[in-house]
């Protein structure tokens, strides 16, 4: 085992030596680090001075070293997974949780923070410093450290029980999903399905005892996994099978041995009790306490204004779909089939209508978006907007896979600002799905540390001589993650606990990422980064027009669905159901009356598989998706108002965006940051307009 001195996980402050790091560094390296940090923590607890230098700087330094080492392990688990790495990760994870709790629930540190806040030096600290202290105090309070002994014991009991219930909830969803399948044998049951789905379904069948199964002749095993279920509902012609799948899906984990009903009731009751211990009226108030939104009623107000702006358009969407569906049915001589459009018909006819209206396929766009050109266009946009240059620096440092690129970001005077890695292609054998931005190093003014980011995507790899040809969605994803990366890299906050994306409220953190996506619908930007890999042609304007038209297709229906989930999440967490004499399903039915245009089935139990709020981090926070979308659309509208063709006005707005949203990080309250950029509070008008929900004239 490597000694502490040579363990590459301990080289904090330098670019990681990916050529040296191996799974065998993890257990020893992390344990040694925890041991020395535990010593430092005890030392700090015994001797702390309630000043910035005496308390926060040691915490900052401990957090940075642990963040670097454990961040590297987490990063490699995501991009270069192996059994050895997974085992090493699992072996030390529990010890890290224990150490984290020890720090979060440290009485001396909590009292030191309180003394610092009440002391004579506090008012002379800079705003980001004060905000760091306030947020550390809030986190400590939310972790129960301020409670009297008996209450704290109950708090810890509840926290432990909630962790178990969250796991039970997820396991039930997983087990219930696995317990259901349809083995289809007749070709008419799989009519309409894409070839790719038939191949997957045959493969599923083979791994379940049907060794002879083929994509052409079946049998085909259909499950409730999203990549199978969704295309089946969108393309499967067999209406009876669609109904069967739909019903199974919305009743998942709601009956039998994997029933989550009682699990949910327990989770909600315990969360309510936990919030009460901390002095909040309900769990939603506890959640909102650390968010950008000021109150539940403010969130409710936003949700209601979006609902009233989208409900009639969503009804129109439904009417359009109804008449389209009956027309289609008449055409095919199956009129009786869709006398009445049912819930399991919606996705199917929505896809047929989409095909009829915007006849282009994602595949037809790919040749216009080779990765090298998309990157050139993205970097040119960053230069126009923010005055930064991005230069390739491949080979200057080691990487974890030959496809990974390394770039440096330079400021207007050519000064080094930041750096990032880009790992673009899917590598299913060792890389997690999805796309993300993560931190390698954060900015620290005291040590002159510059930020370094990881941008990870899962896009189509190059084949033969062809470059990676990106779908439009893949272009959007790259812009999105780059937006997160910009906020991490262009921060000017000197204090690492609030630099970049750190310390930013959950409901505000998607602002820069979604903001960048807007540029993919800007003609000059999108045409500018497109270049047919064979002919060199730019994307034809007709195709661009179809992309922008498709953006608003059924936007009101999608908006309403998200609002329904958001409101239901808040309603469940904002009251004591027992006291109110309601159960979770009666709350659902009550909200569905105003928030859906097609009422859910009486048997609908989708709450039983709503993992975001019962097993993820979104409890009383699902609204964050829409909240951040309002911010990002409104931010983009500042550029629209300036005139997107006016390059000097765009550059001016871009510099302002850089100097506010991208620079101030978690050091300034997000509402102040937004107002500094926009000159006023956010308004949902731009989001509604981008969704096609108000006329251009209004
Ligand atoms: Zn994001």
């Amino acid at each position: 085992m490597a000694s502490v001195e040579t363990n590459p996980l301990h080289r904090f402050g330098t670019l990681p030596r990916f050529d040296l790091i191996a799974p065998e560094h993890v257990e020893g390296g992390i344990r040694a680090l925890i041991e020395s940090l535990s010593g430092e923590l005890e030392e700090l607890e015994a001797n702390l001075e309630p000043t910035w230098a005496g308390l926060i700087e040691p915490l900052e330094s401990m957090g940075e070293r642990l963040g670097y080492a454990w961040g590297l392990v987490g990063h490699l688990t995501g991009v270069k997974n192996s059994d050895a790495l997974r085992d090493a990760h699992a072996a030390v994870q529990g010890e890290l949780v224990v150490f984290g709790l020890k720090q979060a629930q440290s009485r001396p540190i909590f009292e030191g923070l309180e003394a610092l806040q009440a002391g004579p030096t506090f008012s002379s600290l800079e705003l980001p410093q004060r905000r760091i202290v306030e947020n550390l105090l809030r986190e400590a309070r939310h972790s129960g450290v301020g409670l009297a002994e008996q209450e704290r014991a109950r708090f810890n009991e509840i926290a432990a029980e909630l962790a178990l219930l969250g796991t039970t909830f997820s396991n039930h969803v997983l087990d219930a999903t696995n317990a259901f399948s349809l083995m289809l044998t007749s070709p008419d049951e799989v009519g309409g399905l894409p070839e790719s789905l038939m191949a997957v379904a045959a493969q599923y069948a083979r791994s379940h005892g049907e060794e002879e199964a083929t994509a052409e002749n079946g049998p085909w095993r259909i499950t409730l996994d999203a990549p199978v279920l969704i295309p089946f509902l969108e393309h499967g012609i067999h209406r009876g099978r669609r109904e069967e799948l739909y019903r199974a899906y919305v009743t998942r984990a709601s009956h039998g041995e994997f029933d989550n009903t009682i699990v949910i009731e327990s989770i909600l009751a315990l969360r309510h009790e936990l919030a009460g211990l901390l002095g909040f009226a309900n769990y939603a108030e506890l959640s909102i306490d650390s968010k950008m939104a000021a109150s539940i009623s403010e969130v409710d107000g936003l949700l209601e204004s979006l609902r009233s702006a989208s409900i009639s358009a969503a009804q129109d969407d439904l009417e359009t779909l109804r008449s389209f569906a009956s027309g289609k049915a008449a055409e095919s001589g199956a009129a009786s089939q869709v006398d009445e459009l049912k819930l399991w018909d919606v996705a199917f006819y929505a896809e047929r209508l989409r095909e009829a209206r915007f006849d282009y396929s994602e595949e037809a766009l790919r040749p216009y978006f080779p990765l090298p050109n998309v990157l050139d266009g993205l970097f040119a946009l960053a230069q126009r907007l923010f005055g930064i240059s991005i230069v390739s620096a491949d080979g200057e440092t080691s990487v974890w896979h030959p496809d990974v690129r390394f770039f440096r970001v330079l400021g207007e005077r050519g000064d080094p600002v930041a750096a990032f890695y880009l790992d673009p292609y899917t590598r299913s054998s060792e890389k997690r799905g999805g796309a993300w931005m993560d931190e390698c190093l954060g900015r620290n003014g005291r040590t002159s540390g510059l930020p370094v980011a990881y941008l990870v995507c899962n896009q189509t790899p190059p084949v033969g001589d062809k470059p990676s040809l990106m779908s439009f969605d893949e272009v959007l994803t790259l812009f999105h993650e780059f937006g997160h990366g910009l906020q991490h890299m262009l921060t000017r906050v000197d204090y690492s606990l609030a630099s970049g994306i750190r310390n930013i409220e959950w409901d505000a953190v998607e602002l820069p990422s979604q903001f960048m996506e807007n540029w993919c619908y800007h003609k000059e930007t999108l045409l500018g980064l497109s270049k047919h890999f064979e002919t060199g042609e730019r994307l034809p304007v007709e195709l661009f027009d179809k992309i922008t038209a498709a953006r608003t297709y059924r936007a009101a229906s999608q908006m309403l669905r998200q609002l329904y989930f958001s409101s239901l999440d808040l309603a469940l967490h904002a009251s004591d159901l027992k006291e109110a004499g309601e159960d979770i399903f009666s709350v659902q039915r009550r909200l569905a009356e105003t928030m859906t245009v097609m009422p859910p089935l009486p048997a609908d139990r989708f709450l039983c598989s709503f993992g975001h709020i019962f097993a993820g981090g979104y409890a009383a926070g699902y609204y964050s998706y829409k909240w951040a979308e309002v911010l990002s659309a409104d931010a983009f509208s500042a550029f629209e108002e300036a005139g997107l063709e006016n390059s000097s006005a765009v550059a001016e707005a871009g510099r302002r965006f850089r100097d506010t949203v991208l620079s101030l990080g978690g050091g300034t309250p997000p509402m102040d940051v937004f107002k500094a950029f926009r000159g006023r509070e956010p308004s949902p008008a731009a989001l509604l307009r981008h969704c096609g929900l108000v006329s251009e004239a209004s």
Side-chain angles (χ1 to χ4, degrees), residues 175-196:
D175 292 344
T177 305
N178 289 335
F180 178 92
S181 72
L182 288 177
M183 195 68 89
L184 303 183
T185 50
S186 132
D188 67 290
E189 291 174 304
V190 292
L193 299 186
E195 273 169 41
S196 55

Side-chain angles (χ1 to χ4, degrees), residues 140-419:
R141 286 204 185 96
H142 286 189
S143 72
V145 71
L147 299 176
E149 206 173 318
Q150 218 176 359
E151 287 175 321
R152 183 140 49 120
R154 178 61 188 148
F155 180 95
N156 288 341
E157 211 172 84
I158 295 176
E161 217 173 313
L162 280 172
L164 285 178
L165 285 166
T167 309
T168 306
F169 183 96
S170 302
N171 289 342
H172 280 175
V173 175
L174 201 65
D175 292 344
T177 305
N178 289 335
F180 178 92
S181 72
L182 288 177
M183 195 68 89
L184 303 183
T185 50
S186 132
D188 67 290
E189 291 174 304
V190 292
L193 299 186
E195 273 169 41
S196 55
L197 178 56
M198 307 265 281
V200 171
Q203 190 194 319
Y204 278 17
R206 283 196 297 276
S207 59
H208 279 79
E210 297 288 346
E211 278 140 39
E212 309 291 301
T214 62
E216 299 75 38
N217 302 314
W220 303 271
R221 187 170 185 269
I222 303 294
T223 67
L224 299 179
D225 293 316
V228 174
L229 174 90
I230 293 169
F232 195 101
L233 291 177
E234 287 177 346
H235 301 286
I237 290 170
H238 198 288
R239 197 183 189 205
R241 291 305 193 188
R242 285 206 310 265
E243 174 175 358
E244 206 173 335
L245 276 166
Y246 179 88
R247 285 182 181 276
Y249 188 67
V250 298
T251 55
R252 244 183 337 159
S254 71
H255 47 81
E257 56 179 320
F258 309 128
D259 190 351
N260 266 335
T261 311
I262 296 179
V263 179
I264 293 174
E265 284 165 357
S266 309
I267 289 175
L268 290 173
L270 287 170
R271 282 178 181 166
H272 189 73
E273 186 186 346
L274 183 131
L277 283 172
L278 296 176
F280 293 92
N282 54 59
Y283 191 83
E285 287 199 356
L286 168 61
S287 163
I288 301 287
D289 191 47
S290 56
K291 302 275 194 315
M292 173 179 175
S295 63
I296 300 175
S297 63
E298 193 184 15
V299 178
D300 278 337
L302 174 70
L303 296 176
E304 172 53 28
S305 75
L306 296 175
R307 188 199 69 88
S308 60
S310 51
I311 185 95
S312 74
Q315 266 149 359
D316 293 348
D317 281 350
L318 183 60
E319 283 319 310
T320 306
L321 205 58
R322 277 203 177 110
S323 50
F324 175 78
S326 58
K328 274 270 155 195
E331 235 170 68
S332 68
S336 63
Q337 259 216 346
V338 284
D339 292 343
E340 206 187 335
L341 191 77
K342 299 281 195 186
L343 286 155
W344 43 90
D345 301 322
V346 172
F348 179 80
Y349 285 105
E351 278 311 294
R352 303 292 80 73
L353 181 57
R354 185 202 301 276
E355 287 164 2
R357 272 201 195 160
F358 317 103
D359 67 309
Y360 74 92
S361 73
E362 276 276 284
E363 296 308 305
L365 299 180
R366 283 184 190 275
Y368 294 98
F369 299 128
L371 175 65
N373 299 90
V374 173
L375 281 181
D376 286 347
L378 175 59
F379 297 166
L381 175 68
Q383 166 100 59
R384 285 203 301 279
L385 295 177
F386 312 125
I388 53 171
S389 323
I390 295 170
V391 292
S392 157
D394 294 320
E396 287 183 23
T397 188
S398 61
V399 291
W400 55 92
H401 186 279
D403 289 341
V404 175
R405 308 276 320 265
F406 184 65
F407 296 93
R408 292 196 187 275
V409 180
L410 308 176
E412 261 155 325
R413 294 175 305 281
D415 46 317
V417 171

Side-chain angles (χ1 to χ4, degrees), residues 406-465:
F406 184 65
F407 296 93
R408 292 196 187 275
V409 180
L410 308 176
E412 261 155 325
R413 294 175 305 281
D415 46 317
V417 171
F420 66 93
Y421 300 87
L422 173 68
D423 184 351
Y425 312 130
T426 191
R427 265 193 324 276
S428 57
S429 61
E430 59 174 16
K431 190 168 164 184
R432 174 154 64 84
W436 63 92
M437 189 287 294
D438 209 346
E439 306 175 359
C440 173
L441 288 165
R443 179 180 157 88
N444 186 329
R446 205 155 42 84
T447 58
S448 314
L450 291 184
V452 179
Y454 305 116
L455 303 187
V456 183
C457 295
N458 258 293
Q459 68 188 52
T460 315
V463 178
D465 305 338

Side-chain angles (χ1 to χ4, degrees), residues 480-481 484 510 513:
H480 180 104
E481 300 310 332
H484 282 306
E510 295 293 334
S513 50

Side-chain angles (χ1 to χ4, degrees), residues 384-640:
R384 285 203 301 279
L385 295 177
F386 312 125
I388 53 171
S389 323
I390 295 170
V391 292
S392 157
D394 294 320
E396 287 183 23
T397 188
S398 61
V399 291
W400 55 92
H401 186 279
D403 289 341
V404 175
R405 308 276 320 265
F406 184 65
F407 296 93
R408 292 196 187 275
V409 180
L410 308 176
E412 261 155 325
R413 294 175 305 281
D415 46 317
V417 171
F420 66 93
Y421 300 87
L422 173 68
D423 184 351
Y425 312 130
T426 191
R427 265 193 324 276
S428 57
S429 61
E430 59 174 16
K431 190 168 164 184
R432 174 154 64 84
W436 63 92
M437 189 287 294
D438 209 346
E439 306 175 359
C440 173
L441 288 165
R443 179 180 157 88
N444 186 329
R446 205 155 42 84
T447 58
S448 314
L450 291 184
V452 179
Y454 305 116
L455 303 187
V456 183
C457 295
N458 258 293
Q459 68 188 52
T460 315
V463 178
D465 305 338
K466 287 187 201 169
S468 165
L469 299 175
M470 299 170 74
S471 71
F472 182 68
D473 270 345
E474 289 170 348
V475 176
L476 278 174
T477 300
L478 178 67
F479 272 59
H480 180 104
E481 300 310 332
F482 189 73
H484 282 306
L486 285 170
Q487 193 169 36
H488 175 63
M489 295 189 284
L490 299 189
T491 186
R492 293 201 187 123
V493 175
D494 280 337
Y495 310 101
S496 82
L497 288 170
S499 70
I501 62 166
R502 297 173 187 172
N503 216 34
I504 294 183
E505 283 74 353
W506 181 277
D507 46 358
V509 82
E510 295 293 334
L511 196 179
S513 50
Q514 295 181 350
F515 165 82
M516 287 304 293
E517 286 185 41
N518 282 284
W519 292 99
C520 298
Y521 297 96
H522 175 229
K523 196 187 230 169
E524 192 190 316
T525 303
L526 194 71
L527 265 48
L529 60 73
S530 67
K531 189 176 181 190
H532 194 287
F533 80 105
E534 282 166 335
T535 66
E537 277 173 302
R538 292 210 188 285
L539 183 74
V541 175
E542 309 86 76
L543 274 175
F544 172 79
D545 289 342
K546 284 178 183 171
I547 292 172
T548 46
R551 186 188 190 187
T552 55
Y553 176 63
R554 292 180 57 77
S557 306
Q558 282 163 28
M559 164 96 75
L560 197 64
R561 187 177 156 81
Q562 291 294 312
L563 296 172
Y564 169 50
F565 293 166
S566 305
S567 298
L568 185 52
D569 166 39
L570 268 189
L572 290 173
H573 286 101
S575 66
D576 182 348
L577 295 182
K578 262 205 201 93
E579 239 169 59
E582 284 193 297
D583 66 44
I584 53 174
F585 304 118
S586 60
V587 177
Q588 182 196 351
R589 280 192 297 275
R590 175 162 58 77
L591 285 170
E593 280 172 24
T594 52
M595 311 218 56
T596 60
V597 288
M598 239 176 144
L601 295 176
D604 188 304
R605 295 288 182 269
F606 96 90
L607 279 172
C608 290
S609 57
F610 196 1
H612 276 82
I613 67 169
F614 295 119
Y618 282 87
Y622 195 81
Y623 77 86
S624 298
Y625 287 111
K626 276 283 162 274
W627 186 273
E629 236 181 302
V630 167
L631 301 178
S632 57
D634 199 11
F636 187 72
S637 74
F639 291 80
E640 295 172 321

